[in-house]
Amino acid sequence: MLLAALGFSVMGGAAKLLKGSFNAGQLVFYRNLVGLVVLLIGFAIKPPLSNGGKLRWLIFRGIMGTIALYTLLYCILHLPLGTAMTYNLTSAIFIAVFSFFLFKEYNGKEVLLALLLGFAGMILVYKPAMIFPWYYHVAGLISGISSAIAYITVGKLNKYYDARVIVSSFMVSGVLFPSVSMLIQHIGNYKPDEIFLVAFKWPHAMEWFYIILLGLAALWGQYFVTRSYGADKAGIVSAVSYANIVFSVFIGMMLGDSFPDGMSLSGICCIIVSGIIISLYKKRQIQNQEDNNMQPGSVNG
């Protein structure tokens, strides 16, 4: 999950560099096109091994991921980066809520504390502003909720599909939706917007480098987030996703952002402590499992 957070942070930095040249729909198209090309090459070299049988869930995951990406990029273009990212990372809270009510997953008070501590740290770092029109905030909430649903679905799909196949469902959906939008806009000669009617735009010069970086970083993040949600309960994994903020702050500084103030540094410390709590919880959980297996009368004993 730390590797995934790093990938998504680099993706956010590349999107920030492209923000003045491309709109949300165009960035969704190119981001997923680059990743899909790399995945298809990988499939040709090493075909995926999957049990299959959950095609509808695979399609559903792709659609939810695409909605999350559209709304995230829409918010980044219209809200301060801090507010946009705060909304997107509320997915960790929604994952914990949905996992508890739908799948009865409760990971204990320590994990809940880590989750809330990480969320508090996120607020301190990004200081979200609430002075913008309501529909931007609705888009932000949709980003967080759809991300949560997509990630929970990933955890349920891992036992049926190769991680690359799950990622490709998102990439295919993320190329198909803006492609249809571009085609409708071109044929009907409608006035383009940035989501429903997207005008095609060809990158130039250094824009190619940033687009390839955007796509590769996003593919990196999607692959490792898929592996991580297949390895443990969604509520535990999602808490580690707050590391995205720490990476984003330092990448932002490399792109010219100012050094974090005292409140932001306090938030970063909260996020780091949140990750430490999760790590200690997992270490103790593994140790207890090993101790139980060594007891007389156990299956492995």
Side-chain angles (χ1 to χ4, degrees), residues 34-109:
V34 171
L36 186 60
V37 169
V38 175
L39 278 176
L40 291 176
I41 295 172
F43 288 155
I45 297 172
K46 183 181 179 182
L49 298 175
S50 301
N51 297 324
K54 299 293 181 180
L55 181 59
R56 286 183 294 180
W57 280 101
L58 199 63
I59 294 173
F60 179 72
R61 184 271 177 272
I63 294 173
M64 286 294 103
T66 301
I67 291 173
L69 180 59
Y70 259 112
T71 49
L72 170 61
L73 291 174
Y74 177 77
C75 288
I76 287 175
L77 294 177
H78 294 284
L79 294 172
L81 182 61
T83 305
M85 293 304 297
T86 299
Y87 273 127
N88 184 251
L89 287 172
T90 56
S91 60
I93 300 292
F94 289 119
I95 285 171
V97 172
F98 294 157
S99 296
F100 177 75
F101 285 106
L102 297 178
F103 305 106
K104 307 304 179 184
E105 291 182 3
Y106 177 64
N107 303 303
K109 295 179 180 179

Side-chain angles (χ1 to χ4, degrees), residues 111-272:
V111 175
L112 180 61
L113 172 63
L115 198 68
L116 296 175
L117 190 62
F119 187 76
M122 176 179 65
I123 298 294
L124 290 172
V125 171
Y126 280 143
K127 311 177 190 69
M130 298 296 293
I131 59 175
F132 298 92
W134 62 270
Y135 43 86
Y136 292 149
H137 298 290
V138 170
L141 286 173
I142 292 174
S143 173
I145 293 171
S146 53
S147 292
I149 295 172
Y151 289 145
I152 290 174
T153 308
V154 164
K156 306 305 176 184
L157 284 170
N158 260 284
K159 64 181 74 172
Y160 300 101
Y161 293 98
D162 185 302
R164 295 174 299 160
V165 174
I166 300 174
V167 174
S168 68
S169 70
F170 175 35
M171 299 294 176
V172 169
S173 177
V175 170
L176 185 61
F177 275 75
S179 295
V180 171
S181 176
M182 291 175 185
L183 187 62
I184 294 174
Q185 190 278 327
H186 178 73
I187 294 175
N189 197 26
Y190 298 112
K191 181 180 178 181
D193 56 32
E194 55 185 306
I195 296 181
F196 301 107
L197 295 170
V198 180
F200 178 79
K201 181 178 179 180
W202 194 256
H204 298 285
M206 279 298 291
E207 290 173 351
W208 275 112
F209 173 77
Y210 296 134
I211 279 177
I212 292 173
L213 178 62
L214 176 82
L216 293 179
L219 177 61
W220 170 285
Q222 282 295 326
Y223 176 76
F224 282 109
V225 84
T226 300
R227 294 296 300 272
S228 61
Y229 274 99
D232 210 331
K233 293 180 179 179
I236 294 174
V237 175
S238 63
V240 188
S241 67
Y242 289 127
N244 188 351
I245 300 168
V246 180
F247 292 131
S248 295
V249 167
F250 287 103
I251 289 174
M253 288 172 59
M254 293 171 62
L255 296 176
D257 290 349
S258 59
F259 186 80
D261 57 19
M263 185 177 293
S264 297
L265 288 174
S266 299
I268 291 173
C269 290
C270 288
I271 294 165
I272 293 173

